[in-house]
Amino acid sequence: NIRRFDETQLHARNLNGDGHDSRPYSERTKSRLVLCRESGGGSKLKERRGGVENREEFRQGVEQFNAEKFFDAHESWEAIWLKAAEPDKAFLQGITQVTAAFHHHAQGNRTGAESLLQKGLRKLEEFPANYRGVNLEKLRKELRKWATALGEEKYRPTMKKPRIGWARKGKG
């Protein structure tokens, strides 16, 4: 038996007395579950897969990012982000900020690059290792190196730019 919950019902289960969801963001995103399999011993929730909507536009943004066409990737993802619902909205905002950071870097704006990279990375840290088909942990590892480098006095502007890789099937 599969029972459908609307997201309001799921959200209401996690509110504290003042109506605020007090769980960390990463836990709140797990409440975006919409199907529940009923079994004799309890329930097992199945996660709604992120990235079904606007899949081709998202893939285009990945290709643009990997080709170091950061402005174009930013525009592709921003168009999706503006219409997205959570948790995709936060993910897309994070990845868009990262992309804007590398655009700033290409324009010689180290301060803007550092600030946006840190903001975007903070958002991306809230998601699982593989999200929306992206090997997010590998990307975050590369972004952390960049964030450290941008904050150092001996900054090397010739560092290799990160690339977005796809998660292997069966992961996340």
Side-chain angles (χ1 to χ4, degrees), residues 1 24 33 91 104 137 144 148 155:
N1 257 353
L33 306 173
F91 170 77
H104 279 281
E137 187 52 41
R144 287 182 205 112
T148 299
Y155 160 71

Side-chain angles (χ1 to χ4, degrees), residues 60-131:
Q60 178 182 353
V62 170
E63 290 171 7
Q64 291 165 330
F65 183 94
N66 287 344
E68 298 184 15
K69 295 178 180 178
F70 299 117
F71 181 81
D72 295 335
H74 174 275
E75 294 297 304
S76 293
W77 288 330
E78 188 174 57
I80 303 168
W81 166 69
L82 291 172
K83 298 180 271 181
E86 294 295 346
D88 271 356
K89 189 168 197 81
F91 170 77
L92 289 163
Q93 184 178 26
I95 206 162
T96 299
Q97 287 174 320
V98 164
T99 304
F102 285 102
H103 176 70
H104 279 281
H105 178 266
Q107 302 300 310
N109 180 358
R110 180 178 165 190
T111 303
E114 182 179 7
S115 172
L116 281 167
L117 184 59
Q118 289 172 354
K119 287 177 184 177
L121 184 55
R122 272 195 301 273
K123 283 185 179 66
L124 295 178
E125 295 284 8
E126 298 294 330
F127 289 87
N130 297 311
Y131 185 79

Side-chain angles (χ1 to χ4, degrees), residues 49 58-59 62 128-139 163-172:
R49 297 281 180 208
F58 182 75
R59 185 174 294 281
V62 170
N130 297 311
Y131 185 79
R132 228 183 201 265
V134 170
N135 183 339
L136 196 50
E137 187 52 41
K138 183 178 181 207
L139 176 62
R163 292 184 50 83
I164 297 173
W166 298 107
R168 287 184 273 170
K169 295 284 184 197
K171 300 263 185 183

